[in-house]
Amino acid sequence: MNKAEESANQFFVIEQIEMSSESEPEDLEDLDDLNDIKHEEDNLNDLDKIITDVKKEDYIPKPITKTQDLKIPGLVNRLEVVDDFIRNFLIKNQMNRSLEVFQQEWYELSQKGKLATDGMGQVTDVYIQNEKLKEELKYVRGELDKAKIVAENAKSTYDKLRKERDFHKMHHHRVQQEKRKLNHDIDKLKGLHLQYETKYEELSQKYSHAMKEKMLLKLERDRLVAKNDALQRSLQNVEEKINKEKEPGSPTDKLPLVDTKANTKKASTKANTPFPPDDRPNPYAGTQIEPQNYRNAILNKTQKGHMMAISSMDMHPKKSIVATASDDFTWKIWTLPQCELIMSGEGHKDWVSGIHFHPKGSHLATSSGDCTIKVWDFINASCTHTFKDHIQPVWGVKFNDTGEFIVSASMDHTCKVFDLASGKTRHTFRGHVDSVNHVSFQPFSNIFTSASADKTISLWDIRSGLCVQTFYGHLNSVNHATFSLKGDSIASCDADGIVKMWDVRMVKGRSQFDAGPYSANAVSLDKSGTILLVGSDDQQIRLYNETTQKQEHTLKGHEDAVQDVAFDYNSKMIISCGSDATFRIYQ
C-alpha cells in the first residue's frame, strides 16, 4: 500500500473514553431527573388526597410519630474528580499558564494511553470541606480584625465620652456651687437694699426738712437784711440831720452819742456791684471769620500733668497758656506748646471739677467736689474768695465778660451768681430737677446757659434771676453746652454721644451729629462757629463741620476717656485732656 492509501485507512483519535462500572454515564443523571419528577408528582397526588380528606367531616389527622416518615430535602455533596479539582484550583488562583500546560499534557497522555484514569480516584469531601473551612476561617478572621478595629474605636470613643462626662459633671457641680453662692449674695444684697431703702427714705425726709428750714432761714435772713438796710438808711438820715445841726450857731447840748464801732462796721461793708447793662455791643456779632483747616491736624505734644484724671481745662484769653484741673485736688497752669509749668494751686479738699480764667487773665476760678468755689489771684499768689453756698459738689464755674460775677453749676440742681466785690450770692437759679453739669455765659451779655442731667438746656438772666428759655431735644443727660463767639448759637452734647446745634433766636435745633454710642463729655466751637470739637469716652476727638454737615477729622492719642477739649485763643491749636492724667496738643 502506498502512502496515500495508508493515510486514507488511518483514523485519528480525538478522545478516548473508557466506561467502567464505577463511573456513571450521563444517562443516569437524566434518569435521576425523571425519578425526581415522578417523586414530585407522587407528592402532588398525596397533597390532593390530603385536601380531599380534610374536606370530609369525619376526617381525623394522623399524628406523626417517627421522624423517618418526614422527607427532609438536603444538600447532596458529590465527589469531585482529581483532574477537575486541579482545574478548579488553577482557575480559582488564576494560574492560566499552568492550566494550559496541565490541559495540554493531560490530553496528550490520554491520547497516548499512558494516563491511568481508573486508579486516580476522586477528591473526598474532607478536602473540599477543608477548603471551605479555610475560606470561612479567612473570612471570619478578616471580620474579627475589623471587629477589633471597631472595638478599639468604640473603646476610645467611650473613654473620650467618659472624660467629657466627668468634665461636664465637675463643671455642673461648680456651676451649682456658684449658683448657690450667687443666690446667697443676691439674698444678702436684697436685705441690704431694703435696709438702704429705709435709710434713704429717712435721709430724704431729713433732707427735705433741712431744705425747708434752710429756705425759712434764708427768708428770715433776707428779711433781716432788708430791715438792716432800712435801719442803715434811717441812721444815715439821722446822721445827716445831726451834721446839719452841728453847723455854727446850733446848740451843742443836742448832739447825740454816736457808736464808733457801728460806723467802722458800716464803712467796712462793701456794696453790691450793679449788673452790667443789657445793651452792650458784641464786637464779633457782625464779623465773618473764616474757619481754620484742621483736616491734617496730628498729635504734636503729650504732657502728663497730674497724678490723677484731668477733669477740666481752660485757655487764657490773651496768651498761649492753659489751666488744668484734676482729681488730685490741684490745679496747674502751663505754657503752650512747650508745656512748661508756670504755677500750681492747692487748697481744695476734694477733686477739682471746673476751672476758668478771668477775662483779663489776672484771676482764676475753680470749682470742686468739696462744695466750694475759689478765686485765685496770680499777682498775690493767694486765694481771694471762697464761696461755700452750695450744699453738694460743684461741677463748673464761669466768669462773665466783665469779670465781676461768677456763675456756678452744682449737683444740688441749682446755679448761683456770686458778686466778687461784695463776696455775696446775688441770685440762686432753681428750675432743673437734676444735677446741673455745666454753665456758660453768652458773650457780652447777662444771659448764661446751663446743661443739666434732666436732659434740658436752659437760659437764665442774672439781672432778674429768671429762666428765659428752655431747649428740649436730648434724650439723655446733657454733659456740656457752650455759646458761639457771636452768641447766636449753642452747641451741646449728651451721654448718648449726640451733639446738637441750637439757634438761640429761633429757639430750636439746627443740626445734629452722632458721636456715639459712647458718651460725649465736652464740645467746643472755633471762632467761626462752624467747626465743632467733641471729646468722648471712646478716647477719640471728632471734628464736625456744621456747614457741610459732615465729620471732617478724628484725633486719637488718649488712653482713656477725653474729659474736655478746646481751641487756643487764636484757633491754631487743639488741646484736650482726659482721664489718663494727660493733656495733649494737636496741630
Side-chain angles (χ1 to χ4, degrees), residues 287-395:
T287 60
Q288 188 69 27
I289 302 175
E290 292 295 327
Q292 297 285 339
N293 184 11
Y294 299 101
R295 295 180 181 177
N296 299 323
I298 59 174
L299 180 63
N300 185 31
K301 183 79 173 180
T302 300
Q303 179 68 32
K304 185 173 178 60
H306 293 268
M307 299 302 295
M308 298 178 68
I310 301 177
S311 56
S312 180
M313 67 178 186
D314 189 52
M315 301 302 300
H316 195 278
K318 298 179 181 180
K319 299 179 181 180
S320 295
I321 294 175
V322 62
T324 58
S326 174
D327 290 351
D328 60 5
F329 306 173
T330 66
W331 57 266
K332 296 181 181 181
I333 300 177
W334 311 79
T335 60
L336 294 178
Q338 296 82 9
C339 297
E340 296 177 356
L341 181 63
I342 300 175
M343 184 182 295
S344 64
E346 297 179 359
H348 286 289
K349 298 178 181 179
D350 209 336
W351 35 267
V352 184
S353 56
I355 192 167
H356 192 237
F357 274 108
H358 190 277
K360 295 181 180 180
S362 58
H363 291 75
L364 187 74
T366 58
S367 59
S368 173
D370 59 6
C371 310
T372 64
I373 300 166
K374 292 181 179 293
V375 180
W376 309 83
D377 187 357
F378 298 150
I379 298 175
N380 299 322
S382 63
C383 177
T384 58
H385 295 83
T386 299
F387 299 100
K388 302 180 180 180
D389 289 22
H390 284 289
I391 59 174
Q392 289 191 21
V394 185
W395 288 120

Side-chain angles (χ1 to χ4, degrees), residues 254-524:
K254 294 183 180 180
L255 291 177
L257 296 175
V258 179
D259 190 358
T260 55
K261 293 184 179 180
N263 290 335
T264 306
K265 184 177 181 181
K266 177 185 174 183
S268 62
T269 303
K270 295 182 180 179
N272 291 330
T273 304
F275 289 108
D278 289 331
D279 57 351
R280 58 188 186 277
N282 185 350
Y284 300 98
T287 60
Q288 188 69 27
I289 302 175
E290 292 295 327
Q292 297 285 339
N293 184 11
Y294 299 101
R295 295 180 181 177
N296 299 323
I298 59 174
L299 180 63
N300 185 31
K301 183 79 173 180
T302 300
Q303 179 68 32
K304 185 173 178 60
H306 293 268
M307 299 302 295
M308 298 178 68
I310 301 177
S311 56
S312 180
M313 67 178 186
D314 189 52
M315 301 302 300
H316 195 278
K318 298 179 181 180
K319 299 179 181 180
S320 295
I321 294 175
V322 62
T324 58
S326 174
D327 290 351
D328 60 5
F329 306 173
T330 66
W331 57 266
K332 296 181 181 181
I333 300 177
W334 311 79
T335 60
L336 294 178
Q338 296 82 9
C339 297
E340 296 177 356
L341 181 63
I342 300 175
M343 184 182 295
S344 64
E346 297 179 359
H348 286 289
K349 298 178 181 179
D350 209 336
W351 35 267
V352 184
S353 56
I355 192 167
H356 192 237
F357 274 108
H358 190 277
K360 295 181 180 180
S362 58
H363 291 75
L364 187 74
T366 58
S367 59
S368 173
D370 59 6
C371 310
T372 64
I373 300 166
K374 292 181 179 293
V375 180
W376 309 83
D377 187 357
F378 298 150
I379 298 175
N380 299 322
S382 63
C383 177
T384 58
H385 295 83
T386 299
F387 299 100
K388 302 180 180 180
D389 289 22
H390 284 289
I391 59 174
Q392 289 191 21
V394 185
W395 288 120
V397 61
K398 292 289 181 180
F399 282 100
N400 74 328
D401 61 303
T402 62
E404 297 172 341
F405 299 95
I406 290 176
V407 65
S408 61
S410 174
M411 194 185 291
D412 60 7
H413 309 176
T414 66
C415 301
K416 292 180 182 291
V417 172
F418 300 95
D419 190 341
L420 293 181
S422 63
K424 295 179 181 179
T425 303
R426 296 294 296 271
H427 286 297
T428 299
F429 302 88
R430 295 181 176 86
H432 288 294
V433 295
D434 207 337
S435 172
V436 184
N437 298 326
H438 191 265
V439 288
S440 178
F441 268 103
Q442 187 178 25
F444 305 98
S445 171
N446 292 325
I447 303 297
F448 74 91
T449 180
S450 60
S452 173
D454 62 5
K455 310 174 188 177
T456 63
I457 302 165
S458 296
L459 299 180
W460 308 84
D461 190 345
I462 63 172
R463 294 173 65 90
S464 63
L466 300 177
C467 179
V468 178
Q469 192 56 255
T470 301
F471 296 87
Y472 299 92
H474 284 285
L475 302 179
N476 208 335
S477 172
V478 185
N479 296 328
H480 200 277
T482 184
F483 277 97
S484 64
L485 196 60
K486 296 180 181 180
D488 58 349
S489 302
I490 298 175
S492 62
C493 60
D494 63 20
D496 289 334
I498 301 299
V499 183
K500 288 180 177 289
M501 285 292 292
W502 306 87
D503 192 325
V504 177
R505 295 188 181 93
M506 302 301 294
V507 196
K508 66 178 183 179
R510 193 167 61 204
S511 58
Q512 176 176 312
F513 304 94
D514 189 356
Y518 295 94
S519 173
N521 298 323
V523 61
S524 180

Side-chain angles (χ1 to χ4, degrees), residues 166-176:
D166 296 338
F167 172 76
H168 290 302
K169 195 172 181 180
M170 293 175 62
H171 181 68
H172 177 72
H173 290 322
R174 183 174 60 81
V175 170
Q176 291 294 328

Side-chain angles (χ1 to χ4, degrees), residues 80-96:
E80 190 176 5
V81 186
V82 174
D83 58 338
D84 291 336
F85 177 78
I86 294 172
R87 291 189 189 93
N88 291 333
F89 176 78
L90 295 175
I91 292 170
K92 182 178 180 180
N93 293 289
Q94 297 181 357
M95 301 172 67
N96 297 327

